[in-house]
Amino acid sequence: MTFAQTTPMLFGGLSGRSYRPDSLKPDTPLVVAIHGGTYTSAYFDGAGASLFEQAAALGIPVIAPDRPGYIGSAPLAKADMTVKGQARHIAQALADAWARHGQGTAGIVLLGHSIGGAIAATIAADLGGDAANSFPLLGLVVSGVCMRTPPEHKPMWESLPDTPTVEMPPGVKDMVMFGPPGSFVPAMVQVAATADAPAPKAELVDIVSTWEANAPDTLGRITVPVHYRQAEADQLWIMSPQEVDNFAAALKRSPCVDAAMVKATGHCMEYHRVGRALQAQQLGFALQCAAQRP
């Protein structure tokens, strides 16, 4: 069973899915969830791993767009299919999201996984000017992203055929996305696969080419509270307890940073045994941001 309502026009020209309770309690955030590469917004609504289900139990509205190039969301120009380019596009679209879905809520908490986490962080860092007056940003929740990628990843992605999208073979993807045996229920591999989609090649090349150089400055400009979790057995990033500490230290302007490593868990933490606990922590943090907003 899934909980979200899908729509070809969620906000700002993006397809996606949404949930809104019949009534809202005071100090309720609007959570905007941004998926990672090779997955769609369905990543946040897998049976038994649904952020939407947990949000429904807490009375929290959630909207999850399909990023540009996924499902019904048109791709951007190749030069803009980058972390920064997508962040600019989604930040502009969030004004429409706030107008459509924000009524009665205290403000937006951005939640991003993997490339979606880098994009969410970039939105939070670059928020200013007209965007700052378009919607209130209360906090940032990120997972599945560190500051450095293994050096062999860049030539690997660049060597793929010059096609607009890349589709990872299921067996390879499962090995990369999941952690050690026992950290997940085997059936969840097939549940996660229901959110699979080809990824724009440009974003995969960009994240391994530019994020390491951009991350310190990006994280250093974020001025909202941040919740950060990173899997110990994440194969897509250079990962260690020190890397988590470095990520947290880079958030030097954030008034509150809750950062931790999640042991014996793979990249797609939501589909591991710790998934429900992770989502409960993320949604609790979002509630805290709403209750303690300036």
Side-chain angles (χ1 to χ4, degrees), residues 109-112 139-143 224-229 247 251 254 256-260 277-286 288-289:
V109 173
L110 284 177
L111 183 153
L140 175 66
V141 175
V142 288
S143 65
V224 295
V226 178
H227 184 279
Y228 174 59
R229 292 292 184 270
F247 193 102
L251 293 159
S254 171
C256 173
V257 177
D258 182 349
L278 170 70
Q279 291 170 338
Q281 293 168 18
Q282 292 173 329
L283 292 170
F285 183 82
Q288 182 177 339
C289 289

Side-chain angles (χ1 to χ4, degrees), residues 1-6 17 19 42 44-50 52-53 191 194 271:
M1 178 180 179
T2 56
F3 282 77
Q5 177 182 354
T6 59
R17 57 199 64 220
Y19 165 79
F44 296 109
D45 200 22
S50 176
F52 283 94
E53 179 182 2
V191 175
T194 62
Y271 289 84

Side-chain angles (χ1 to χ4, degrees), residues 102-123:
Q103 184 177 7
T105 68
I108 288 176
V109 173
L110 284 177
L111 183 153
H113 176 258
S114 193
I115 293 177
I119 291 171
T122 303
I123 293 171

